[in-house]
Amino acid sequence: MSQTGPATRSSPAFDVLIPVQPTSMAWTAGEPSLSFPARQKRRGWSLLALLIGPAVLAGLGTWGLYRHGAYGSDESATRWAATLPLGKLFHVLAHVDAVHGLYYLTIHAWIVFGRGPVALRLPSLIAAVLAAGVITELGRRLSGRLDVGIIAGLLYAISPVVMFYAQTARSYAIVSLVVASATLAFVRALEAGRDGASSKVQIRRWVGYGALIALGGWLNEIALLAVVAHAVTLVVTGYPRRVRLQWLVTSIVAVAMVVPLFVISNGESAAVDWVTKPTPHDLLTLLRDFFGPNPVVMVAMIGCTVFACIPRLRTRSALKAGTAREAWRTRGPASLVSVALPLLVVPPVLLIVESELTTPLYVERYLLYSVIGAVLLIAEGALRIGHRIMGVNRYAWVWIPALAMTLITFAVQLPTQQLIRTPDARLRDFGAPAKYIGHHAQPGDGVLYFSSFFRLVALGYPDDFRNLTDVGVGQTPEQAGTFRGVDTSFEVAAARMLTHNRLWVIGRQPLGTQPTTLNDEERDLLVDDFHLVRLVQFHGLTVSLFERRSLRLSSVEFSHRTGAL
C-alpha cells in the first residue's frame, strides 16, 4: 500500500471500506484516527471482541439489580401502568404519560415473565447491554480500529449514569439503545451511498434508519433531537447531494410518523409542569452524567474528549496556507468525531434553549443517549494519548494506557457504583414504607395521602395496602386515568376519617411546621379527634399512625428506618 496519499482498506471482519491516512500523518491527522494498516485477525476474534463491553455491563448490571425491592415514584408508575388491563391502560394514556405509552405497552407484554423489581428492570438492563455492543461497533466502524470500539463499549459499561438507568424500570436505557442503533444505521446508509451500493441496499438501509428514528420518537420525543445531530454530521462531511436528499426525505417521514404522539402529549402538558428551567447546578449534573461524578475523572474524560477533537494535520495546514475553503469542499466521509461530537453537544444545547424560550422540558435523563457521543470521543482521545505514550509503531500495544485509564476510572468511581445500587440513590424509597405498613396495618385501618402524589406508594405495592381504605379519594387512579387519582371533598373525607379507629398518613409530617399540601381542615380534624402514636421517617417520606382519642392513648413512637421492619 502506498504511503504517499489516502487509500482504502477492507475490514477483515465486516468488509467495510475505511479511509486510511498516510502513516506519517496518522496521529496528528486524527480523522479517521489510529489508521495504521491493520494486522489481519480472524473474524471470530473480532466478533468476540465486540462482546467485551456488553459482557462487562451484563455482569455489573446483575449486581444489586433487586435493590432491596425498592421502587421510586417512576418505577411505581411503571409497575401499575404495565399491570393494568389494556382498556384501562389506554384510558390512562389518554389522560397522562402518553409519551411513555409505547414503553408501558412493552412492559405490559413483558410481565408474563414476572412483576417483581428484577423482572421489571430486566428490559432496561438488556437494552443497555445491547447498546454497549452497538457502541463498540460504532467505534470500530468510524475509527477503523477495533480497540477504539472496545474502549468505548467498556466506558459505556462502567458509566454510573448508564448503570443507574440500566437498573431502573423506565424507558431511558431503551431509548439509548434505539438512538445508538439509529446512529449505526445512519452511518451504514452513508457508507452505502458513498460506496455506490445498489439502490435496493441503499433503500433498505435508509428504511431501517427511518424506522429506528420513529421508534425512538415514540419511546420519547426528545430522542428526535438525534436527527438534528445527524444533520450536523452531514453538514460537516462531504457526501453528495443525492445522499443528503435521501437522509432528508427519510428523516421527514420518520418525524411525521411521531406527529400523533406530539398531538396527544401536547394535551397532557400538565404532566410536565414540575419541570423548571435548567440552572447552573443542572448543567453541572449533566457534565457529571457525561464524564463522571468524580472531579478528577471528569477532568480526565473531558481532556480525552478535547484531544479527540483536535483538527487533523491537513486542516491545520490549510488554515495556515489560506486554503481552508478548498479543504472544506473536499472534506471526507463521516468520522468518529463528526458523528460523536454532534450527538454529545446538539441535543443538550437544543433542549436547554427550548427550555429557556418556551415550556421547559429539560430533564437530564431525557439526554441519556448523548452519553454515546461522550464515550466514543473519550475512547478516541484515550487511544490517541496511548499512541503518544507508546509511539507510532503500528504493532505497539497502544490500547494499554486506554485500558488502564478505564480500569482506574471504574476503581475511583466504585463508591458511586455501590451507592446507585441502594434505595438511597433515588429521590424516594417507596419500598421500605410500603413493607412497614403491610407488616403493621390492621384490617379496617384508613390511609390519608399527604399529598395525592404519594398514592404511587400503593400503586407500586398494592399487596401491602390490601387492609387499608383510602379515606381521601374521590376517584381512584384507575377511574381518573391518572397516577394520583382525584381527592374527594373535605366533608366526605371527614366523615370517612371518623369511621376509622386508626389512620395512616403517608407523605410529609402532617403536624410539622413546614408548609404542606394537606388540607388544613383535615389537619385540624387529626389534631382534635386523633392522637399521634407512631411516626417513622423513611428515605423521602414519613409514615404516621394516628388513633382515635376515644381509644386508650399510648406513648408516641418516633423512629428512623431505612428498610428494616
Side-chain angles (χ1 to χ4, degrees):
M1 178 183 296
S2 171
Q3 295 299 318
T4 59
T8 60
R9 60 177 161 84
S10 179
S11 165
F14 292 89
D15 194 27
V16 177
L17 292 178
I18 303 292
V20 176
Q21 299 292 338
T23 301
S24 60
M25 298 174 59
W27 227 170
T28 54
E31 294 183 9
S33 66
L34 311 184
S35 47
F36 295 110
R39 287 177 287 177
Q40 295 297 313
K41 299 179 181 179
R42 292 191 300 272
R43 177 186 177 90
W45 160 244
S46 298
L47 292 175
L48 183 63
L50 292 175
L51 301 178
I52 294 176
V56 171
L57 201 154
L60 292 175
T62 56
W63 167 33
L65 185 59
Y66 180 65
R67 205 169 59 245
H68 305 292
Y71 293 135
S73 56
D74 282 352
E75 288 189 311
S76 289
T78 294
R79 187 193 185 282
W80 179 70
T83 54
L84 288 173
L86 279 179
K88 293 182 178 179
L89 176 55
F90 281 112
H91 174 61
V92 170
L93 297 180
H95 292 84
V96 68
D97 253 8
V99 68
H100 297 300
L102 180 58
Y103 173 70
Y104 290 148
L105 289 169
T106 302
I107 304 301
H108 179 83
W110 175 266
I111 59 174
V112 297
F113 300 106
R115 304 185 179 195
V118 171
L120 290 177
R121 292 165 185 158
L122 269 179
S124 294
L125 178 58
I126 293 171
V129 169
L130 294 175
V134 174
I135 290 168
T136 301
E137 168 60 3
L138 260 176
R140 184 210 65 81
R141 186 176 292 266
L142 289 168
S143 70
R145 285 184 66 99
L146 185 59
D147 43 12
V148 174
I150 292 174
I151 296 299
L154 284 173
L155 288 169
Y156 191 79
I158 67 170
S159 168
V161 70
V162 169
M163 187 55 62
F164 184 94
Y165 290 108
Q167 296 187 331
T168 300
R170 295 300 279 177
S171 63
Y172 309 113
I174 300 175
V175 171
S176 294
L177 168 63
V178 174
V179 172
S181 301
T183 303
L184 179 59
F186 171 66
V187 171
R188 296 185 74 243
L190 293 180
E191 288 174 355
R194 180 195 69 198
D195 298 338
S198 66
S199 298
K200 183 177 181 180
V201 170
Q202 294 186 48
I203 292 173
R204 185 170 66 244
R205 293 190 179 183
W206 283 119
V207 168
Y209 170 73
L212 287 167
I213 290 296
L215 176 60
W218 275 95
L219 285 168
N220 192 312
E221 294 160 323
I222 305 301
L224 294 179
L225 296 180
V227 176
V228 186
H230 296 160
V232 173
T233 297
L234 279 177
V235 169
V236 301
T237 50
Y239 289 95
R241 184 173 180 273
R242 170 182 51 81
V243 174
R244 296 166 187 258
L245 184 61
Q246 290 172 337
W247 170 84
L248 181 62
V249 172
T250 303
S251 299
I252 291 174
V253 173
V255 173
M257 293 173 66
V258 191
V259 168
L261 181 60
F262 293 154
V263 175
I264 297 172
S265 61
N266 186 60
E268 299 176 355
S269 57
V272 292
D273 58 5
W274 56 272
V275 180
T276 59
K277 292 183 178 181
T279 65
H281 180 267
D282 293 328
L283 302 182
L284 177 60
T285 300
L286 190 66
L287 285 176
R288 288 162 58 90
D289 288 349
F290 289 168
F291 300 109
N294 183 278
V296 176
V297 170
M298 182 189 297
V299 171
M301 298 299 102
I302 292 176
C304 289
T305 301
V306 172
F307 206 91
C309 298
I310 295 175
R312 48 185 164 177
L313 179 62
R314 68 184 184 191
T315 301
R316 298 202 304 269
S317 300
L319 289 172
K320 290 180 180 179
T323 58
R325 180 174 298 180
E326 179 64 25
W328 178 264
R329 284 200 298 265
T330 59
R331 59 195 184 277
S335 66
L336 187 145
V337 174
S338 65
V339 172
L341 187 58
L343 193 59
L344 171 63
V345 174
V346 172
V349 169
L350 290 179
L351 193 56
I352 290 169
V353 171
E354 181 279 333
S355 297
E356 290 291 339
L357 299 179
T358 62
T359 302
L361 294 175
Y362 177 86
V363 181
E364 291 89 355
R365 57 182 176 266
Y366 296 166
L367 297 168
L368 179 65
Y369 62 84
S370 285
V371 174
I372 299 166
V375 297
L376 287 169
L377 290 169
I378 294 167
E380 171 86 354
L383 266 294
R384 289 194 186 187
I385 293 171
H387 257 283
R388 290 287 190 184
I389 295 172
M390 305 298 290
V392 296
N393 188 318
R394 64 174 177 157
Y395 296 110
W397 290 9
V398 298
W399 53 267
I400 292 180
L403 180 61
M405 178 204 71
T406 303
L407 294 175
I408 293 171
T409 297
F410 176 73
V412 171
Q413 296 184 150
L414 188 57
T416 303
Q417 293 280 356
Q418 293 171 324
L419 175 63
I420 63 178
R421 290 165 171 82
T422 67
D424 289 345
R426 270 59 181 175
L427 185 61
R428 296 180 181 90
D429 171 16
F430 286 175
K435 293 174 184 177
Y436 180 85
I437 291 171
H439 184 74
H440 293 92
Q442 300 174 5
D445 286 356
V447 60
L448 188 63
Y449 294 100
F450 172 35
S451 63
S452 60
F453 168 81
F454 290 98
R455 282 198 178 93
L456 283 164
V457 181
L459 298 186
Y461 300 90
D463 291 342
D464 292 312
F465 286 77
R466 62 185 180 276
N467 290 325
L468 300 180
T469 301
D470 188 345
V471 299
V473 67
Q475 286 185 305
T476 65
E478 284 189 16
Q479 293 168 341
T482 66
F483 297 110
R484 296 187 175 202
V486 177
D487 288 336
T488 189
S489 65
F490 168 71
E491 290 75 15
V492 175
R496 292 175 179 172
M497 290 170 68
L498 294 175
T499 63
H500 295 273
N501 291 326
R502 300 190 345 149
L503 280 178
W504 295 89
V505 180
I506 302 175
R508 298 188 184 91
Q509 296 185 26
L511 305 183
T513 58
Q514 295 181 348
T516 68
T517 56
L518 187 64
N519 189 297
D520 288 339
E521 295 172 310
E522 292 173 339
R523 184 201 303 265
D524 293 341
L525 183 60
L526 282 173
V527 172
D528 294 339
D529 292 82
F530 290 83
H531 174 68
L532 177 65
V533 296
R534 190 176 301 169
L535 188 148
V536 186
Q537 180 66 51
F538 294 92
H539 178 59
L541 72 159
T542 299
V543 173
S544 309
L545 175 62
F546 290 80
E547 287 186 356
R548 287 290 297 274
R549 288 188 179 277
S550 58
L551 300 179
R552 180 177 62 84
L553 298 182
S554 57
S555 60
V556 181
E557 299 178 15
F558 296 91
S559 62
H560 178 86
R561 294 179 179 264
T562 58
L565 297 179

